[in-house]
Amino acid sequence: MSEQEQVLFASINNCCYFKLCGELRYTNATGMDDLIERLFSTRIECAQVVIDLNQATFIDSTYVGLLAGLARYCQQQQLPKPTLFSTQSEINELLFGLCLDQAFQIIQQPTTVPPDNLPGGTLPENTTDIATQSYSEQQQGRMILRAHEALIALNDKNKAEFQPVVNLLKQQLK
């Protein structure tokens, strides 16, 4: 049986903290996508982004693309590179393989290392469990497309790998 995906979020002292747990797949990414969209529309004050993947057991390309979109948001807002914690070797191999180290400060340590503005580096007490949103098939397709476009924007290697997926999605969404 697969581990249930869980997205926890807190905003403390303008630091947006994400804790992503379990299997992170496109089929359960709608809550994360909705939260990122709210960040992009500046309904959440955010001067720094910290992502904790230490309890993630699997991450697919759509979720990696959502993370790339978060990094793009930080760059557009002239924020520091987001910090990403991950001690999972398979996940780290994927993150480095897709060049997310260009967009994130990746720390391969447990989150007991205190990130700025998060005392003790522990999970803030006032985290919100972000629920999966009800997306239509069209909305989910657009989310997957946006995520893969964010991956392509990172570098030419990703473009070569994911351009066929993007082209197919664009064709299907017409």
Side-chain angles (χ1 to χ4, degrees):
M1 186 168 156
S2 67
E3 267 187 75
Q4 182 63 38
E5 170 258 8
Q6 185 178 28
V7 176
L8 299 170
F9 176 77
S11 180
I12 299 171
N13 299 329
N14 291 336
C15 177
C16 292
Y17 180 83
F18 297 82
K19 184 171 183 76
L20 308 177
C21 308
E23 292 190 6
L24 307 172
R25 299 179 184 274
Y26 78 95
T27 52
N28 57 23
T30 56
M32 182 70 172
D33 181 61
D34 181 65
L35 182 57
I36 292 169
E37 288 300 312
R38 285 188 277 152
L39 270 179
F40 276 99
S41 65
T42 63
R43 287 184 273 175
I44 301 171
E45 281 296 313
C46 193
Q48 179 184 10
V49 173
V50 175
I51 300 157
D52 181 350
L53 291 177
N54 282 322
Q55 291 183 14
T57 56
F58 175 85
I59 186 167
D60 72 8
S61 60
T62 297
Y63 243 102
V64 174
L66 292 175
L67 295 178
L70 255 178
R72 187 171 57 195
Y73 163 80
C74 291
Q75 186 179 26
Q76 289 170 349
Q77 299 298 312
Q78 299 176 338
L79 300 176
K81 264 187 185 182
T83 303
L84 192 150
F85 287 88
S86 177
T87 55
Q88 306 296 331
S89 58
E90 297 86 16
I91 290 175
N92 290 345
E93 191 176 314
L94 177 65
L95 297 174
F96 283 100
L98 294 174
C99 302
L100 258 68
D101 56 314
Q102 295 172 1
F104 288 87
Q105 177 186 355
I106 298 177
I107 299 175
Q108 298 179 58
Q109 295 178 7
T111 43
T112 53
V113 176
D116 294 343
N117 301 324
L118 291 178
T122 58
L123 183 64
E125 286 182 24
N126 59 342
T127 57
T128 303
D129 193 351
I130 304 300
T132 301
Q133 300 296 306
S134 181
Y135 275 23
S136 69
E137 196 173 300
Q138 189 81 1
Q139 288 172 307
Q140 188 158 8
R142 283 194 299 271
M143 172 194 69
I144 295 167
L145 176 61
R146 278 192 312 274
H148 286 82
E149 286 175 334
L151 276 177
I152 283 175
L154 284 178
N155 61 47
D156 289 339
K157 178 184 167 282
N158 288 355
K159 185 172 185 171
E161 188 169 342
F162 292 107
Q163 190 66 55
V165 174
V166 168
N167 293 344
L168 181 63
L169 285 167
K170 283 182 177 179
Q171 189 176 25
Q172 289 178 342
L173 288 170
K174 283 185 179 177

